[in-house]
Amino acid sequence: MKRKHLLGLHGVSREEIEKILNQAAFMKKVIVSDHKRIPTLQGKSVVTLFYENSTRTRMSFELASKYMGAASANMSASASSVAKGETLVDTGATLDMMGVDVIIMRHPMSGAPHLLSQHVNASVVNAGDGMNEHPTQALLDMYTIREKRGGLDGMKIAIIGDVLHSRVARSNAYGMKTMGADLYFAGPSTLMPPGFDHLGVHVGNDVRAAVENADVVMGLRIQRERQKAGLFPSVREYAHFFGIDMNVLKLAKKDALVMHPGPVNRGVELSSFTADCEQSVIREQVQNGVAIRMAVLDMLTRKEQTR
């Protein structure tokens, strides 16, 4: 992969995505082995810079860098000079002067990783920026589907829930369409972004129609921290009309995969039965997230990067 940064999946080619997925397959062998250590990032330094809370993404990036032998450090915005008013650009310059090779950043503002990438020598990985993109989550979603079903070409994938506030939905729209999938998004009208159908996906409010005959059914978390009041009457009503329970899942193909980027609000986006059913690969998504992030770190730090 010749690019220096991974800021999103918009504009990333099928060839690049396939290279990342192929490399992740190798990295997963490392994760499931008894010796979780390879020297790929020996001599490299990696910093996670998170302005928002995270469990899965942050921990998987930290483990990925350590499994590959990097010197890794965790920087929390609330416990740094950011809390004293330091700007993002100045924070990046500080990390640059410390010799950091890769900065992995999550930020509540869309476009923040793009800004940082223009002012540092280090490679920048977007770990989620506002309501824009979350590329490594989409990559692990695609890897999980490919691992279970062999590929995404021609597959019907239903993504249900809070699409408006979901950076996962946007990255999946870009990435899964590039990989040949047919995407159906469904949720309340107030949680569907205008113009989303211009991305080449099907957009609607009928969950059952979206799920019918689907190969993959993915729930999206209700992001109350980003929402204004009044976007839906109540959590109970949302679960009744837009939640995915076993009755809804029966409309999909018998072997349809059940996915969720996590954390799952049980009884809201997915019933507990659905989240834990035999078709669920939610826990495997977590494991695959480490493999994907190892692959991304490996490929971004190779010498052939040009942009």
Side-chain angles (χ1 to χ4, degrees), residues 27-301:
M27 295 302 182
K28 187 166 182 179
K29 293 177 182 178
V30 176
I31 296 169
V32 299
S33 72
D34 294 330
H35 185 70
K36 299 177 178 62
R37 196 81 171 181
I38 54 175
T40 312
L41 293 185
Q42 188 114 21
K44 300 291 185 180
S45 57
V46 177
V47 168
T48 53
L49 173 60
F50 276 51
Y51 289 74
E52 289 184 317
N53 295 331
S54 171
T55 300
R56 292 157 187 77
T57 303
R58 184 175 202 157
M59 183 59 68
S60 63
F61 267 118
E62 290 179 11
L63 286 175
S65 60
K66 289 177 180 178
Y67 288 162
M68 298 169 74
S72 60
N74 165 22
M75 180 176 170
S76 173
S78 61
S80 70
S81 292
V82 172
K84 301 176 182 178
E86 185 174 66
T87 68
L88 175 60
V89 172
D90 285 342
T91 298
T94 299
L95 294 175
D96 243 4
M97 295 305 296
M98 292 180 179
V100 173
D101 295 295
V102 182
I103 301 172
I104 300 156
M105 187 174 75
R106 170 167 288 189
H107 200 283
M109 297 300 293
S110 297
H114 299 71
L115 174 64
L116 182 65
S117 71
Q118 295 167 12
H119 293 87
V120 295
N121 293 315
S123 292
V124 176
V125 180
N126 181 3
D129 62 326
M131 293 166 20
N132 182 35
E133 281 212 55
H134 192 350
T136 57
Q137 177 66 47
L139 287 166
L140 76 88
D141 292 342
M142 289 185 281
Y143 177 80
T144 303
I145 295 169
R146 193 181 80 160
E147 185 179 54
K148 293 295 184 180
R149 297 292 181 264
L152 283 82
D153 278 306
M155 300 195 76
K156 179 180 179 180
I157 299 177
I159 300 180
I160 312 299
D162 184 1
V163 178
L164 177 64
H165 301 95
S166 178
R167 49 201 176 201
V168 174
R170 282 167 180 78
S171 286
N172 270 323
Y174 295 132
M176 289 182 177
K177 284 295 296 181
T178 298
M179 297 302 288
D182 197 11
L183 270 65
Y184 286 73
F185 288 87
S189 298
T190 51
L191 296 180
M192 300 300 291
F196 212 63
D197 52 345
H198 293 163
L199 298 179
V201 303
H202 305 272
V203 177
N205 310 122
D206 190 338
V207 171
R208 289 177 170 267
V211 171
E212 187 174 8
N213 207 37
D215 296 282
V216 177
V217 180
M218 181 186 296
L220 294 175
R221 184 173 65 88
I222 295 297
Q223 300 193 32
R224 290 178 238 188
E225 72 274 18
R226 302 187 199 283
Q227 293 180 4
K228 297 177 182 178
L231 291 180
F232 53 88
S234 69
V235 171
R236 182 177 179 180
E237 285 182 290
Y238 176 91
H240 176 73
F241 290 106
F242 300 101
I244 303 167
D245 58 20
M246 294 304 290
N247 289 325
V248 173
L249 187 60
K250 286 178 183 178
L251 298 170
K253 291 182 179 177
K254 289 184 179 181
D255 62 347
L257 302 178
V258 174
M259 304 180 74
H260 194 291
V264 178
N265 292 308
R266 289 175 177 262
V268 182
E269 302 107 25
L270 303 178
S271 69
S272 284
F273 286 110
T274 308
D276 297 329
C277 72
E278 291 184 357
Q279 295 156 252
S280 174
V281 293
I282 295 172
R283 288 190 174 92
E284 290 174 68
Q285 286 177 267
V286 176
Q287 184 181 61
N288 291 339
V290 181
I292 281 291
R293 282 144 189 158
M294 289 175 72
V296 167
L297 291 175
D298 175 33
M299 298 178 79
L300 287 180
T301 51

Side-chain angles (χ1 to χ4, degrees), residues 15-30:
E15 181 184 11
E16 287 178 290
I17 292 173
E18 287 178 340
K19 283 183 178 179
I20 296 171
L21 302 187
N22 290 339
Q23 186 68 357
F26 169 77
M27 295 302 182
K28 187 166 182 179
K29 293 177 182 178
V30 176

Side-chain angles (χ1 to χ4, degrees), residues 1-5 16 19 299-300 304-307:
M1 188 165 69
K2 293 184 178 181
R3 63 181 65 239
K4 181 178 181 180
H5 311 289
E16 287 178 290
K19 283 183 178 179
M299 298 178 79
L300 287 180
E304 66 263 27
Q305 62 182 223
T306 59
R307 56 190 172 92

